[in-house]
């Protein structure tokens, strides 16, 4: 029978990042039910935003991950289209101005280099924007990456270091004995292992159920429009203040329908990515045309120069939502040999590099990242299931 | 020989991708960008299926795992924004 020191479940950006960091020291098998990076990691935007993170621990975590990006392309030996083009949050109406002023002050205090710019400055930097906007915040620290290439690069680098990757292989059961993991059953055979890493993103709760653990992670569907290739017209990444209001103000009462908030970016090949929606729809991928219309309306109001570009495809992905906006990177109480690394919601790309290092540290029990791992522990959730707010 | 005209992907690129372990249309698409252009595979999909068949043991049906997604044809952002019933935004 096949054996492994570690079995990683999930071949998205998180699972492959972990595989890469474990490579060399352990016999690792990564199991993916579809293709590498074809789920959540293949249906997201390309932003590595720092300025939008909450002050305190979330910013520290994102900064640590952003540091790893600096040399990642070189380290992985593959092009990942990492660019430091900065990021902007557009303020569409006066009513968000006060909130965004406070937001900038608070982010500066937290060590993020971000400034408020007026309409004129914003348009000078980003001519695709509407003259109707009030202003924007701008940070040079925001960056971007191609998530498809990033996941493939992690996977290839891991393979070169001896990791076995099995695609089109689904986990059907996790075998346990006396409160500890002893094996993984797949549709293509059984693997004996004493350590499983659940990196299944939005499907992590289904994997955890196999060991009788309820995970407070809920799939939140996000839809993004993809345009034909056009000449460069979007510099760096753009969000709108509506997105920040939705993200940071839990009592935000004027939540837009379908959770619409702009996220705009352009890939190196020229496709414009126009997001997006945030909805709790279970695992339903059938997107109503009204959602696409709403995303298009919102985008062209802020960036009317995009009017004539043609949309060639849309993509829907499930983001693994947790109620406090942070992932769970943790061992599991009462189940030995079951590590959880999921729940990154929309920050999977930004946090993938640090997640690999954190999980490797958990596996190696070296306590190197204790300060980062303590706040990400599973037992911070008292209730079994979080109660999401629609939107 | 060109398989995907929009993204200029050659048969040679497709074969390299298969040799590196890609087994399905989706895996090849994500690696080579074949089918990611403005035609969204309307022209190259059949060619792609036929190109893979001799190199893998699995059937064309099994390799065929790319979803059809909206819109069915390229549509300008302005027109898309006018296409739905919901105009509350």
């Amino acid at each position: 029978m096949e054996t492994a020191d570690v079995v990683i479940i999930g071949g998205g950006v998180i699972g492959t990042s972990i595989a890469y960091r474990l490579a060399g020291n352990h016999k690792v098998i990564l199991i993916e039910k579809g293709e590498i990076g074809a789920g959540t990691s293949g249906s997201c935007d390309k932003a590595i935003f720092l300025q939008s993170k909450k002050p305190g621990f979330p910013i520290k975590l994102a900064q640590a991950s952003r540091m790893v990006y600096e040399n990642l392309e070189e380290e992985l030996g593959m092009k990942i289209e990492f660019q430091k083009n900065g990021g902007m949050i557009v303020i569409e109406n006066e009513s968000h101005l006060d909130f965004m002023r406070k937001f900038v002050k608070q982010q500066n205090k937290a060590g993020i280099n971000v400034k408020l710019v007026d309409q004129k400055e914003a348009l000078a930097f980003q001519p695709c924007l509407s003259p109707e906007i009030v202003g924007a915040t701008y940070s040079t620290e925001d960056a971007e990456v191609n998530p498809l290439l990033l996941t493939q690069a992690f996977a290839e680098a891991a393979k070169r270091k001896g990791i076995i990757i099995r695609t089109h292989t689904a986990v059907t059961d996790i075998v346990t004995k006396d409160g500890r993991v002893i094996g993984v059953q797949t549709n293509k055979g059984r693997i004996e292992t004493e350590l499983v890493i659940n990196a299944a993103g939005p499907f992590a709760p289904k994997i955890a159920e196999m060991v009788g653990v309820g995970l407070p992670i809920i799939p939140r569907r996000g839809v993004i429009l993809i345009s034909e290739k056009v000449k460069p017209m979007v510099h760096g990444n753009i969000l709108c203040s509506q997105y920040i209001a939705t993200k940071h103000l839990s009592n935000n009462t004027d939540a837009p329908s379908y959770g619409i908030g702009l996220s705009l970016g352009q890939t190196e090949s020229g496709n414009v990515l126009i997001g997006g929606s945030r909805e709790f729809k279970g695992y339903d991928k059938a997107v109503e045309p009204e959602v696409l219309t709403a995303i298009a309306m919102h985008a062209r109001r802020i960036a009317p120069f995009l009017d004539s570009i043609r949309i060639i495809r849309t993509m829907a992905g499930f983001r693994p939502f947790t109620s406090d906006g942070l992932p769970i990177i943790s061992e599991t109480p009462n189940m030995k040999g079951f590590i959880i690394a999921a729940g990154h919601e929309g920050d999977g790309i930004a946090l993938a590099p640090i997640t690999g290092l954190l999980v490797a540290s958990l596996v190696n029990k070296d306590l190197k990242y204790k300060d980062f791992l303590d706040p990400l522990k599973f037992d911070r959730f008292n209730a079994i299931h979080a109660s999401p707010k629609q939107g | 020989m060109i398989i995907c005209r929009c993204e200029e992907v050659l048969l040679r690129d497709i074969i390299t991708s298969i040799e590196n372990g890609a087994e399905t249309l989706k895996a090849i698409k994500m690696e080579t960008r074949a089918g990611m252009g403005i035609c969204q595979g309307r022209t190259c999909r059949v060619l792609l299926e036929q190109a893979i068949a001799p190199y893998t043991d699995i059937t064309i049906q099994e390799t065929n795992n790319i979803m059809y997604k909206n819109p069915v044809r390229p549509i300008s952002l302005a027109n898309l924004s006018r296409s739905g019933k919901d105009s509350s935004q």
Side-chain angles (χ1 to χ4, degrees), chain A residues 25-252:
Chain A
N25 302 318
H26 310 268
K27 186 190 173 188
V28 182
I29 301 179
L30 185 150
I31 306 284
E32 163 55 49
K33 70 176 173 185
E35 314 285 353
I36 291 300
T40 300
S41 314
S43 41
C44 54
D45 63 41
K46 52 192 251 300
I48 306 168
F49 259 102
L50 263 188
Q51 65 164 308
S52 62
K53 302 289 183 281
K54 287 183 187 170
F57 178 71
I59 282 187
K60 283 198 188 109
L61 186 67
Q63 278 173 324
S65 202
R66 175 67 179 73
M67 287 282 283
V68 184
Y69 266 115
E70 286 295 323
N71 301 311
L72 197 58
E73 199 154 46
E74 207 176 271
E75 199 185 334
L76 298 178
M78 245 175 96
K79 209 167 137 37
I80 56 173
E81 295 176 5
F82 176 66
Q83 297 278 353
K84 294 188 267 189
N85 288 333
M88 201 171 244
I89 301 174
V90 172
I91 304 165
E92 225 194 326
N93 50 51
E94 296 279 348
S95 68
H96 282 169
L97 203 54
D98 269 354
F99 164 72
M100 290 305 287
R101 257 195 211 109
K102 271 184 223 146
F103 173 78
V104 166
K105 228 180 243 169
Q106 160 204 302
Q107 300 304 75
N108 284 337
K109 231 167 102 186
I112 303 269
N113 181 5
V114 53
K115 61 174 182 181
L116 203 61
V117 297
D118 62 17
Q119 180 257 26
K120 224 173 130 188
E121 269 182 279
L123 262 68
F125 180 75
Q126 207 71 265
C128 71
L129 295 175
S130 161
E132 305 281 310
I133 65 163
V134 178
T137 66
Y138 177 71
S139 172
T140 52
E141 292 181 49
D142 299 325
E144 48 199 312
V145 71
N146 179 326
L148 298 181
L149 293 182
L150 174 65
T151 311
Q152 285 166 22
F154 272 132
E156 286 305 315
K159 271 202 263 184
R160 280 199 303 273
K161 290 171 84 177
I163 300 278
I164 300 164
I165 294 182
R166 300 250 160 85
T167 54
H168 304 285
T169 307
V171 173
T172 53
D173 196 17
I174 294 167
V175 193
T176 62
K177 197 182 165 190
D178 305 328
R180 56 187 300 151
V181 170
I182 57 165
V184 173
Q185 183 66 45
T186 77
N187 59 348
K188 294 180 180 168
R190 183 168 158 170
I191 306 163
E192 302 283 302
T193 186
E194 287 183 357
L195 183 56
V196 163
I197 296 166
N198 180 2
F203 302 99
K206 295 192 169 183
I207 299 295
E209 254 172 47
M210 294 175 185
V211 294
V213 171
L215 271 194
I217 293 174
I218 301 163
R220 191 184 225 184
R221 190 177 73 185
V223 177
I224 294 174
L225 316 178
I226 308 168
S227 86
E228 63 187 318
K229 291 180 180 183
V230 290
K231 63 180 194 314
M233 53 199 310
V234 183
H235 307 293
N237 285 287
I238 306 176
L239 298 178
C240 71
S241 53
Q242 181 64 61
Y243 172 91
I244 301 299
T246 312
K247 186 176 170 119
H248 291 234
L249 300 174
S250 52
N251 57 350
N252 183 30

Side-chain angles (χ1 to χ4, degrees), chain A residues 312-385:
Chain A
I312 61 171
R313 193 175 176 86
T314 55
M315 55 185 178
F318 300 113
R319 329 275 178 233
F321 165 93
T322 64
S323 58
D324 66 359
L326 284 170
I328 302 169
I329 300 174
S330 172
E331 289 170 316
T332 308
N334 309 323
M335 182 52 66
K336 252 187 105 146
F338 192 77
I339 290 178
I340 301 153
H344 297 70
E345 200 183 348
D347 294 332
I349 299 302
L351 297 181
I354 192 71
T355 300
L357 291 167
L358 294 182
V359 173
S361 171
L362 262 185
V363 171
N364 298 328
K365 298 187 195 303
D366 59 19
L367 301 178
K368 226 163 107 185
Y369 289 100
K370 195 179 176 308
D371 291 349
F372 280 134
L373 285 165
D374 280 346
L376 299 175
K377 276 189 178 162
F378 180 33
D379 56 19
R380 71 182 191 267
F381 297 98
N382 292 323
I384 298 291
H385 294 290

Side-chain angles (χ1 to χ4, degrees), chain A residues 35 229 300 311 313-314, chain B residues 7 24 30 40 70 75 81:
Chain A
E35 314 285 353
K229 291 180 180 183
R300 63 183 288 236
I311 302 304
R313 193 175 176 86
T314 55
Chain B
E7 296 288 334
T24 63
M30 291 178 58
Q40 285 292 299
N70 270 323
I75 176 173
S81 79

